[in-house]
Each structure stands twice: as C-alpha cells, then as structure tokens.
Amino acid sequence: MSRQPPAWRVQNEGSFASVTVALPPSASFHCESDAVVSMSHTVDVRGAMSGGLLAGLARAFLTRESFFTTEVRNGSPNQTGDVLIAPSDPGGICLHRLARGEELILTGGAYLAGDTSVHVTSSMQSPFSSFGGFSGTGVFLLKASGQGTLAMSAFGSMHKNVLAPGERRMVDNGHLVAWTSSMQTSVKLASRQAGVWGSVTSGEGLHCDFVGPGVVYVQSHKPRVGPDGRPETRGGGGRGGGNVIGACVVFFVFGLILIGILFAAYLGVLAPRSVDYGGGQGGGYDSGRWQHDGGGYKNEF
C-alpha cells in the first residue's frame, strides 16, 4: 500500500496568506526554518541539514536562507494530522506542482515548503552575464527539482504567467520570484522605442526578458532595501541572493583544505613509512652478525 502524499491548501489568499498541510499517517514534508505556526498533537518537527553540511553552508552564506530546514512528520500510524505554516513576513503564497524532469529557479527568500520528493539546492548563475548582474536576483539562487508540491512566498501578492513557445514576457527587476530554468533570459531597457532616455525618465530602468515555453512567477511589490543595501524583509522573493563576503570565505576555507591535502600527499605524509630489514646501518638488521651454531643462532660482537 503506497503512502498518501500531503494535501496542500492556501488560506487567505492575498497579501496575508498561509498554508494548511494535511498530513496522512506517517507522512512528512520540509519547510523553511521557523515557518510552522501551529500543528496537531500527532505532528512532530526537527531540524535537518538538507543535502548535508556543504549544502547547508551554501544556503546560509550564498542565498541567505537558513542553515537548517525543518522536517515536519506525522508520527501517528492511523490518524491524519494538520499543520499551518506561513512566511516570516506578510505576503502571497503560491503552490507549484513540479513535474518529473522540471526545474524551477527561485530567488532568495521565495522558498517556503515542499514535499519530501522535492529537492531544493543552491544554484549559481554567471556573474558576467547581464541577467546575473542586473536582474536584481543576484548571482546565487535556489533550484527546485523532483516531483511534488512546492510552496513559494512573495512580498505582496503573487502572479503566475504561463508562456507558450516563443512568447515573451518583460518583468521589472526586483519583482521576480521564480521561473522555469530552461527558459531564455536576458536584461533589456524597459523602453524599446525611447531607448535609454525613455527608460530612465519613466523610472522603469531595466526589465528582465523571458522567452517561453515556461512559467514565470512575479510579486506585486519590491522588498524595501535597508541602509546596508539588504532587504529589510526576510520572506518573499526578489531578494538579491548572495553574500559575496560569505561566499569568498567559504571558497577560501575549502581551497585551503584542498591545498593542504594535496601538499601533504606530495610530501608523502599520507603514505605509510617503509621499514628497512636489509643489512643497513643505523638500527637496521645486520644478517652478517648472526651465525648458525648447531641447533641455534649466536650473535657475534
């Protein structure tokens, strides 16, 4: 008998949304840290490092997500439990059904929860591309793959755009939440006719250009940026994921470890020491000083 998957339902759709997850017996799902609002008595939670230590470090330093994710499990073998989850800040929530072989790119702060069959890992786009440098999403993002339900949160209300093959969609940078990884992306001036002057004077500046087929999720509002240049809100998409200093520290530490291992191997420290049982001097075994005498050996000095 196959285990039933959790049933997801968005409550209070709009800018103050939450999600109710009905958990069949022994079923589970994963969510962002501190996302659980309430749960039935049969449900238990625990922290987990999704993907291991390196994946947790990559999420924490590169995408500004939590180091630990929360695993929510219904411990009852015969009763259905329920869990209410919500993002840290007010905003909309959208449920996306991932098909087998589909991959979705998420901006920092957009991940809320997902089935255990949905895998969320860190992803990096080229810092030298126009999209990576000027889309407002940052260089380090999240990638969702597998098959199942994925819950995403936004700042403000969330809107879904399904693009047919060859169809284009322009999105103001900073409003992006998620998009299909196989789509063609670029950054262009908002005004195609007036050029730079029209784009600057209109206040729109740069827009992200997407070419279908695929899906694009956008949020109605941009997160407010604090004095340090970081968004003041924790939840919601559109955050420029990627702590550059933290990324440099992580790569520097692992680089030093790798160099140390290679240097130790080069010096032969990791190789076992050989023992000389020949007739050498300095503590070696000198067979010439032992002579056979009758039924035994005697040592000559």
Side-chain angles (χ1 to χ4, degrees), residues 20-149:
T20 298
V21 185
L23 279 175
S26 302
S28 63
F29 69 94
H30 55 80
C31 65
E32 174 68 359
S33 178
D34 196 29
V36 176
V37 178
S38 66
M39 58 188 182
S40 57
H41 71 282
T42 61
V43 178
D44 193 18
V45 297
R46 69 182 182 93
M49 286 189 298
S50 179
L53 177 62
L54 297 183
L57 289 173
R59 280 195 308 272
F61 282 100
L62 305 182
T63 64
R64 297 178 186 169
E65 298 286 343
S66 300
F67 180 80
F68 292 97
T69 57
T70 301
E71 181 182 346
V72 184
R73 179 178 296 274
N74 184 9
S76 174
N78 50 26
Q79 295 183 10
T80 299
D82 65 89
V83 184
L84 177 66
I85 60 175
S88 300
D89 298 289
I93 297 176
C94 188
L95 301 178
H96 180 82
R97 183 69 182 178
L98 275 172
R100 186 180 301 274
E102 180 187 6
E103 291 183 345
L104 204 66
I105 301 297
L106 283 70
T107 55
Y111 161 73
L112 178 61
D115 286 327
T116 55
S117 56
V118 174
H119 310 286
V120 181
T121 58
S122 57
S123 178
M124 179 180 178
Q125 56 183 347
S126 175
F128 305 105
S129 65
S130 61
F131 192 84
F134 302 100
S135 63
T137 60
V139 176
F140 301 100
L141 304 168
L142 296 174
K143 178 184 292 185
S145 59
Q147 186 177 10
T149 300

Side-chain angles (χ1 to χ4, degrees), residues 222-234:
K222 286 184 181 180
R224 183 176 298 176
V225 179
D228 59 351
R230 296 184 179 184
E232 295 180 348
T233 58
R234 176 186 171 188

Side-chain angles (χ1 to χ4, degrees), residues 91-262:
I93 297 176
C94 188
L95 301 178
H96 180 82
R97 183 69 182 178
L98 275 172
R100 186 180 301 274
E102 180 187 6
E103 291 183 345
L104 204 66
I105 301 297
L106 283 70
T107 55
Y111 161 73
L112 178 61
D115 286 327
T116 55
S117 56
V118 174
H119 310 286
V120 181
T121 58
S122 57
S123 178
M124 179 180 178
Q125 56 183 347
S126 175
F128 305 105
S129 65
S130 61
F131 192 84
F134 302 100
S135 63
T137 60
V139 176
F140 301 100
L141 304 168
L142 296 174
K143 178 184 292 185
S145 59
Q147 186 177 10
T149 300
L150 173 69
M152 300 175 292
S153 61
F155 189 64
S157 59
M158 188 181 298
H159 304 272
K160 178 181 180 180
N161 300 278
V162 180
L163 305 184
E167 184 180 356
R168 311 179 77 98
R169 186 78 182 184
M170 303 287 286
V171 180
D172 185 16
N173 57 350
H175 287 271
L176 281 173
V177 176
W179 62 93
T180 305
S181 62
S182 59
M183 298 179 68
Q184 298 180 20
T185 59
S186 60
V187 175
K188 298 181 178 180
L189 293 172
S191 178
R192 293 187 296 271
Q193 297 181 352
V196 177
W197 177 253
S199 300
V200 173
T201 55
S202 65
E204 296 298 328
L206 298 175
H207 276 195
C208 303
D209 184 31
F210 293 87
V211 181
V215 59
V216 181
Y217 288 94
V218 299
Q219 59 189 8
S220 60
H221 293 73
K222 286 184 181 180
R224 183 176 298 176
V225 179
D228 59 351
R230 296 184 179 184
E232 295 180 348
T233 58
R234 176 186 171 188
R239 300 189 314 180
N243 188 332
V244 178
I245 297 178
C248 293
V249 171
V250 172
F251 288 126
F252 180 73
V253 170
F254 285 110
L256 287 180
I257 295 175
L258 180 60
I259 293 175
I261 294 175
L262 294 177

Side-chain angles (χ1 to χ4, degrees), residues 284-300:
Y285 176 79
D286 189 359
S287 60
R289 300 177 63 118
W290 292 84
Q291 295 183 357
H292 187 269
D293 183 16
Y297 286 86
K298 67 177 181 178
N299 187 10
E300 290 187 356

